[in-house]
Amino acid sequence: MTSTESTAFFARSWSLYDLITEHNYMFHREIYARVSDLLKLRKDIGRYRLLDLGCGNARFLAPALMRSPPAHYQGVDMSEAALEEAREHLAGLTCPIELTHNDLLEAAESTVSKWDVIFTGFAVHHLTHQEKERLFRIAGRCLLDGGWLLMVDVLREENQSRKHYLEGYLRFMRECWTRIPTDQLEEACAHVETYDYPESLSTLNDMAKASGLINSQVISRFGQHGTVMFSRDVPEFTD
Ligand SMILES: C[S@@+](CC[C@H](N)C(=O)[O-])C[C@H]1O[C@@H](n2cnc3c(N)ncnc32)[C@H](O)[C@@H]1O
């Protein structure tokens, strides 16, 4: 698997992903409502710097950022089509917006900037085990004090094999994603079967701990779709 191959799907079929999210089949509405609530709790609204790895078109994160504006937003994605749309979705933000067309690990590894929030939505499961470890190392190095790594992604159950996970997810897609035309549904299923490598929460926690992010908190869970916050210290929220 290469990043280029796994992201080619999004370059080609961005409209299919949009259709899936339009019907809320991956719980984007509920997930991003919780992300929005979480960002509202930051004490540095208007001053925090956010890096969005695998930002796609930022359609769901953008409203949360409008409510809790950062001081700087950088989105990284391999899909130019998605980045073009992201520019439109983020147009209402008044802070500097940087959209980078690159592999998320390469972009993050080469950054000398520090971040208050590193956000990533439904992108990490495309990485190999070693690449996920690299991502956590980058987060451990680049997060400022009080920083959060906020990860939205699909998760495997503890001790569940990838094969068993895929059987369940593909069944869920075929049974529940009823408004996706059959040929497009099968294209999405083939993409999941080839490129999805989700981890269990305990594996992610181990990777995070090895990078100094010793706190983890599950923010939400909807079926296989979860949001986890990793941080160096216990997060301080406004009361
Ligand atoms: C499922 S979409 C998620 C988009 C958005 N973050 C969301 O939550 O709706 C995954 C995005 O990650 C991007 N992506 C996956 N692997 C990547 C990589 N290695 N480098 C950069 N972008 C990547 C894809 O191009 C795609 O836009």
Side-chain angles (χ1 to χ4, degrees), residues 28-46:
H28 280 66
R29 270 181 234 139
E30 295 83 352
I31 288 170
Y32 278 89
R34 302 286 173 90
V35 168
S36 179
D37 289 345
L38 195 64
L39 288 177
K40 275 193 219 154
L41 297 176
R42 284 203 67 90
K43 291 181 167 175
D44 52 2
I45 292 174

Side-chain angles (χ1 to χ4, degrees), residues 63-126:
L65 298 178
M66 303 300 175
R67 284 180 211 116
S68 306
H72 189 100
Y73 171 92
Q74 183 180 357
V76 181
D77 206 284
M78 287 283 270
S79 161
E80 279 190 271
L83 289 174
E84 260 172 52
E85 288 184 21
R87 195 168 297 286
E88 286 168 33
H89 287 297
L90 295 162
L93 282 181
T94 52
C95 69
I97 293 168
E98 229 180 303
L99 293 173
T100 307
H101 180 222
N102 198 355
D103 175 75
L104 63 87
L105 287 173
E106 278 181 29
E109 246 159 20
S110 61
T111 185
V112 287
S113 305
K114 300 270 182 183
W115 305 92
D116 298 290
V117 180
I118 299 179
F119 178 82
T120 179
F122 292 115
V124 172
H125 64 277
H126 291 132

